[in-house]
Amino acid sequence: MRITVDRGSVAMGDDARPHDETFDVPPETPLAEVVAGLLARHFLASIAGGMATWILESDRPLGVVAQQWDGPRFLVDASRPIASFAAEGGGVSLMFRYWKQHDPDHVYGELAAGRRPAR
């Protein structure tokens, strides 16, 4: 299964190189495992002060990742195979949107309630 992943930039200097990557994983790989692999290899930028918040999206918000949390909090069943998040073309596109240093608990709560948190 082809996965395309991208992230928002955190500062002007962060835009020196593109952030998008494409890689393959077995289609039965759980979403949680794909995300854990990205986090383990530091795909997301670290922010001085240690309080960055990211919203993980595909065709909808899938979860929140916060630099100060031990792990992501998902809005979907993250044990589902990555193939279940595929678009009609067959691939999966994941985007980590940088939500600055907003309170990740608040961001997660807003998304869980079906609202888009304010920036």
Side-chain angles (χ1 to χ4, degrees):
M1 168 80 25
R2 180 153 310 277
I3 310 292
T4 301
V5 62
D6 200 355
R7 69 170 177 83
S9 65
V10 297
M12 285 178 50
D14 187 39
D15 288 335
R17 295 185 344 221
H19 307 123
D20 63 319
E21 295 180 19
T22 301
F23 56 93
D24 292 305
V25 298
E28 66 276 2
T29 306
L31 171 65
E33 191 175 314
V34 172
V35 173
L38 290 165
L39 297 178
R41 55 187 189 82
H42 306 287
F43 178 74
L44 299 178
S46 293
I47 306 302
M51 296 181 66
T53 299
W54 303 85
I55 297 175
L56 170 61
E57 299 179 338
S58 184
D59 61 337
R60 64 189 183 279
L62 302 177
V64 175
V65 177
Q67 192 172 343
Q68 61 268 41
W69 288 350
D70 290 334
R73 295 187 190 164
F74 292 99
L75 298 158
V76 298
D77 179 358
S79 67
R80 286 178 36 200
I82 195 68
S84 68
F85 297 96
E88 269 191 46
V92 174
S93 179
L94 299 175
M95 177 67 181
F96 289 89
R97 298 209 183 276
Y98 178 50
W99 223 252
K100 301 182 182 176
Q101 296 178 355
H102 289 271
D103 175 9
D105 291 309
H106 176 75
V107 171
Y108 181 84
E110 289 292 296
L111 290 170
R115 296 184 295 266
R116 188 74 169 180
R119 280 194 171 224

